[in-house]
Amino acid sequence: MTMDYTSVAPLFQTDAYKLGHLQQYGLAGDVTGVYSNYTNRGSRIPDIGAVVHFGLQAFLERYADSFRVFFAADEDQVCQAYEARLASILGPNTIGSAHIRALHRLGFLPLRFCAVPEGTAVPLRIPSFTIENTHPDFFWLTNYIETVLSAEIWQASTTATIAKAMRETLEIAATRTGTPLAAVDWQGHDFSYRGMSSNETAAMSGAAHLLSFTGTDSLVSIDWIERHYGGAFVAGSVPATEHSVMCAGIATVGERELFEGLLGLYPSGIVSVVSDTFDLWRVLTEYLPALREEVLARDGKLVIRPDSGNPVDILCGVEEGAPDAGPAERKGVIELLWDTFGGTVNAAGYKELDPHIGAIYGDSITRERAVLITERLAAKGFASGNVVFGMGSFGYQYQTRDTFMSAIKATWIQVDGRGVDIRKDPVTDSGTKKSATGRLAVVTDADGRMRLIERATPAEEAESLLQPIWEDGSFVRRQTFPEVRAVLAKQTVLR
């Protein structure tokens, strides 16, 4: 007979080795409480000194929902399935299932989460949230859920941080070259869906992107936000072609004719056309000049999208001395568009393309490349707002939990009726893995900087920025997506 593990599935969202911790804690004495925290201990991106707290609310809602089947199932069947899985991976069952039976009878997850508001840019080595058990029989549960909690949180917070850093970088460029800061809302567009590791990852990462920008093609992120946060927010995209559309049209009617047809199909609004299916430079120097009057007559913007090559050189032109570069390649997309469609010079003295034409680049864009592009454009006299950046998996998926060294560590236990401060401090480590100790509080100093208090007193915990948000299966406090965005808008992550 095949065992049905559906009811116990959420219990196995952990590392197998954790199943025996119930017994191992007993070697320390009568443990009745475990208190842990989630901290970003460092940064592999040198100029980022804080990490955006985001995604915990969504995790708690999903995790609690996953246990509904467990609590609704027959108690004996739950324990039988648990023991069968345990024996299949660890061998003879010395752990039993009495603790699982007790949790089933309790009917809720006896945990308390205390956190800073989501959207807060938390400095490195300061905890974003803490977790502890609220019932002495379930001390084992605190770090039992570490695995799934870490897996579900780091991507959302990491993407939120990278997007915020991109936002800050583009705002610096905009201020320098006279681009309105409001335009930055749409200057970062999420193209990452297909490059993420799963549908759920794409949804949460895309939501994190939308904390700093409003442009996205990740439809799953909209549903994710509405389901877990709610509130009215702005997110949008535009009609756009892809290479299959261009190949089909070029093979039948011709590329210039296809561009003309697209202008007729979309007589108003923004339409984006991938333009390097064959020869980007021919599009820019022949087809668009031939269609200049039609483009300028539209009630909207035609956005040209290169999709291959070095994005810095493609947009800005190759620098002097580059071999085998033709005149179009030396100018680059933005200057060629200026040559055809013109524009204006803003108050800061930088050129802005005519509002009927623009460019977006969405292949292998990183913040470092965005800096190079905006600096090269500025050197040629163009404002940073002349280009939109498609932000894809190259920036968001090429990350790990170690990007910000995110970790959950226990710092305090209740044993034999007394509180004991504990800490990890490996002699073989550089100091990065040294954990805090004791119960923790986070406060704001007179200069506005967040500071960690270790071995915090009850009074200090009461005044901490780490406040209860979820306890015993229910939310104490929730935030809407606009509220999270509002918190983040006041923060900075760059050093």
Side-chain angles (χ1 to χ4, degrees):
M1 177 180 175
T2 302
M3 180 66 68
D4 182 4
Y5 293 102
T6 304
S7 63
V8 292
L11 289 171
F12 296 125
Q13 294 177 10
T14 191
D15 290 306
Y17 73 82
K18 287 183 178 287
L19 300 175
H21 288 183
L22 170 73
Q23 298 168 315
Q24 295 169 25
Y25 276 116
L27 298 175
D30 182 20
V31 177
T32 54
V34 176
Y35 173 93
S36 294
N37 76 99
Y38 181 96
T39 296
N40 298 290
R41 301 175 294 184
S43 176
R44 298 189 185 277
I45 306 176
D47 60 346
I48 292 182
V51 178
V52 178
H53 173 49
F54 179 62
L56 180 58
Q57 179 171 300
F59 164 78
L60 289 171
E61 186 167 64
R62 293 197 308 274
Y63 196 60
D65 283 348
S66 73
F67 270 89
R68 290 181 179 177
V69 176
F70 168 77
F71 289 124
D74 177 79
E75 181 180 307
D76 291 332
Q77 289 180 355
V78 163
C79 293
Q80 181 182 11
Y82 178 83
E83 291 195 35
R85 176 65 78 208
L86 188 150
S88 72
I89 193 167
L90 292 180
N93 179 14
T94 63
I95 299 170
S97 59
H99 59 305
I100 302 302
R101 189 178 297 274
L103 179 62
H104 186 274
R105 290 180 177 179
L106 187 66
F108 61 86
L109 292 170
L111 295 169
R112 178 185 300 115
F113 284 79
C114 295
V116 301
E118 296 203 18
T120 301
V122 183
L124 302 174
R125 303 201 68 80
I126 291 179
S128 300
F129 62 87
T130 62
I131 174 177
E132 64 184 312
N133 58 295
T134 59
H135 189 294
D137 291 348
F138 301 98
F139 62 91
W140 56 271
L141 194 56
T142 300
N143 267 38
Y144 187 92
I145 75 166
E146 173 201 1
T147 311
V148 64
L149 182 55
S150 294
E152 292 278 352
I153 294 296
W154 76 260
Q155 178 77 67
S157 62
T158 297
T159 295
T161 304
I162 291 171
K164 176 62 173 175
M166 183 70 151
R167 170 92 196 198
E168 292 177 30
T169 298
L170 293 177
E171 286 181 343
I172 292 170
T175 299
R176 183 161 66 99
T177 62
T179 293
L181 290 182
V184 179
D185 286 346
W186 297 96
Q187 202 174 3
H189 195 95
D190 184 15
F191 280 173
S192 67
Y193 190 169
R194 71 193 61 191
M196 303 307 284
S197 61
S198 69
N199 199 61
E200 186 64 24
T201 301
M204 71 171 72
S205 178
H209 168 90
L210 287 171
L211 289 176
S212 292
F213 298 102
T214 49
T216 183
D217 274 295
S218 297
L219 282 172
V220 289
S221 299
I222 310 300
D223 292 337
W224 192 91
I225 292 168
E226 291 177 343
R227 183 166 68 250
H228 299 304
Y229 290 86
F233 62 96
V234 176
S237 186
V238 300
T241 69
E242 65 178 19
H243 288 294
S244 64
V245 171
M246 301 307 293
C247 287
I250 293 170
T252 55
V253 299
E255 191 165 19
R256 179 193 178 285
E257 292 76 12
L258 178 58
F259 266 87
E260 190 170 15
L262 288 166
L263 295 175
L265 183 63
Y266 300 103
S268 63
I270 300 173
V271 57
S272 176
V273 181
V274 63
S275 303
D276 67 336
T277 301
F278 290 106
D279 190 340
L280 171 67
W281 309 119
R282 189 172 187 180
V283 168
L284 291 164
T285 59
E286 293 184 28
Y287 302 151
L288 291 182
L291 295 169
R292 180 180 183 276
E293 298 309 316
E294 289 91 332
V295 172
L296 294 177
R298 287 184 73 248
D299 180 19
K301 177 182 286 190
L302 171 65
V303 177
I304 301 303
R305 180 164 74 89
D307 195 40
S308 56
N310 182 318
V312 183
D313 290 342
I314 298 297
L315 289 169
C316 307
V318 296
E319 295 181 297
E320 290 298 324
D324 304 323
E329 294 166 272
R330 293 187 182 281
K331 287 189 173 185
V333 171
I334 301 302
E335 187 175 351
L336 289 171
L337 291 177
W338 175 269
D339 288 348
T340 298
F341 298 100
T344 58
V345 176
N346 65 28
Y350 289 87
K351 300 174 184 176
E352 295 180 353
L353 289 171
D354 185 279
H356 293 90
I357 195 72
I360 184 171
Y361 203 107
D363 181 56
S364 300
I365 289 296
T366 62
R367 185 163 59 92
E368 292 74 18
R369 281 179 171 168
V371 169
L372 288 173
I373 290 166
T374 55
E375 287 180 347
R376 288 265 300 273
L377 287 178
K380 297 181 74 170
F382 288 98
S384 64
N386 284 302
V387 62
V388 172
F389 296 102
M391 300 172 66
S393 58
F394 195 77
Y396 289 152
Q397 180 73 351
Y398 275 50
Q399 311 297 332
T400 71
R401 189 173 66 98
D402 286 334
T403 298
F404 298 118
M405 305 174 200
S406 312
I408 294 174
K409 299 299 173 188
T411 61
W412 180 90
I413 60 171
Q414 185 84 17
V415 57
D416 296 331
R418 63 189 180 93
V420 177
D421 301 333
I422 61 175
R423 102 170 329 147
K424 172 184 179 180
D425 189 8
V427 69
T428 52
D429 182 59
S430 63
T432 299
K433 292 187 175 182
K434 180 179 180 180
S435 69
T437 187
R439 298 186 70 85
L440 309 175
V442 176
V443 297
T444 303
D445 284 341
D447 59 5
R449 297 180 180 177
M450 294 172 67
R451 180 172 63 88
L452 171 63
I453 298 176
E454 301 180 65
R455 301 184 177 91
T457 65
E460 288 170 329
E461 285 191 84
E463 296 299 318
S464 175
L465 297 176
L466 299 167
Q467 288 298 310
I469 64 161
W470 195 87
E471 186 168 337
D472 293 342
S474 300
F475 281 100
V476 176
R477 171 170 57 89
R478 293 188 66 125
Q479 291 172 267
T480 65
F481 196 71
E483 288 171 345
V484 179
R485 280 181 56 99
V487 172
L488 181 56
K490 301 174 184 177
Q491 314 281 311
T492 58
V493 299
L494 295 180
R495 297 180 195 270

